[in-house]
Amino acid sequence: SYSGAGQPGLPGSLAYVEQNFGKVADFGQRALAYLIDLALTLIGLVPMVIGIISDQGAPEVEERTDEFGYTTSTGDFDPALAVVGGLLITLGALISIGITIWNRIFKMGRTGQSVGKKVIGLYLLDDKTGQPIGAGMCFLRELLQGLINQVFYLGWLWMLWDADKQTLGDKAVHSSVVVVPKR
């Protein structure tokens, strides 16, 4: 395989990927797909907000200390309401985590497309074979990307100056994101 500049397109390189699998997605396309995926996880906010409101309905007990140093409590604390609120908050967090795992690891690993990538018309693939990278490699990609962004904030930005337009997570698992041809 050869790139347009006459240089050999080595497997995994931008030239190889674009010649064999399609145009590599740009930063804006990938960011928009990620924002759609992020919005999907907000479904978990529904039970969380209800849980927070439930907790607000369980007023705190007010404690007072008298002149002798004795503490007395007043207020109508409803422990059942507090438990329900806490459970709803936990349920909301679990729903958000579950959606992320399903969408960004299993769905994207198996099909090459998360919900956001499908909407925008992008496809995650192995940069040598053109096939989806699988759930295990997708998990590693997401884990590394998350850790790198927490420490260096470069995981996503890396693709802005990388010759192969890959994030650091992509580089670690040999993946690329290409634009799906319009049909």
Side-chain angles (χ1 to χ4, degrees):
S1 298
Y2 289 93
S3 67
Q7 299 294 320
L10 299 173
S13 70
L14 177 67
Y16 180 85
V17 170
E18 288 196 334
Q19 189 170 36
N20 292 287
F21 312 123
K23 181 184 179 313
V24 172
D26 64 35
F27 182 83
Q29 292 167 309
R30 291 181 68 172
L32 189 54
Y34 182 75
L35 288 174
I36 291 169
D37 289 340
L38 190 61
L40 185 63
T41 65
L42 295 180
I43 291 170
L45 279 180
V46 173
M48 289 177 94
V49 168
I50 294 169
I52 291 168
I53 291 169
S54 294
D55 275 351
Q56 298 302 317
E60 292 185 25
V61 174
E62 184 180 326
E63 293 186 358
R64 293 185 185 179
T65 305
D66 64 16
E67 64 271 7
F68 302 108
Y70 293 106
T71 304
T72 57
S73 299
T74 59
D76 297 336
F77 181 72
D78 185 351
L81 200 55
V83 168
V84 168
L87 288 173
L88 285 170
I89 292 168
T90 303
L91 176 65
L94 291 174
I95 288 171
S96 291
I97 291 167
I99 289 171
T100 300
I101 290 170
W102 165 77
N103 185 43
R104 302 275 309 166
I105 295 172
F106 291 108
K107 182 173 177 24
M108 190 163 61
R110 188 182 77 251
T111 68
Q113 292 183 305
S114 63
V115 171
K117 280 184 176 48
K118 187 167 184 76
V119 169
I120 300 303
L122 304 179
Y123 184 80
L124 174 71
L125 51 77
D126 181 286
D127 64 13
K128 291 172 186 59
T129 68
Q131 298 300 309
I133 63 173
M137 293 303 272
C138 225
F139 173 75
L140 182 60
R141 176 181 181 265
E142 294 293 311
L143 178 67
L144 291 172
Q145 195 71 13
L147 291 174
I148 290 165
N149 281 335
Q150 291 300 314
V151 178
F152 301 108
Y153 305 106
L154 289 178
W156 267 74
L157 296 177
W158 192 268
M159 74 173 291
L160 293 173
W161 57 79
D162 183 69
D164 296 321
K165 294 184 181 179
Q166 292 175 306
T167 64
L168 290 174
D170 288 327
K171 288 202 161 303
V173 300
H174 305 286
S175 65
S176 288
V177 177
V178 297
V179 177
V180 176
K182 300 287 183 205
R183 296 178 189 187

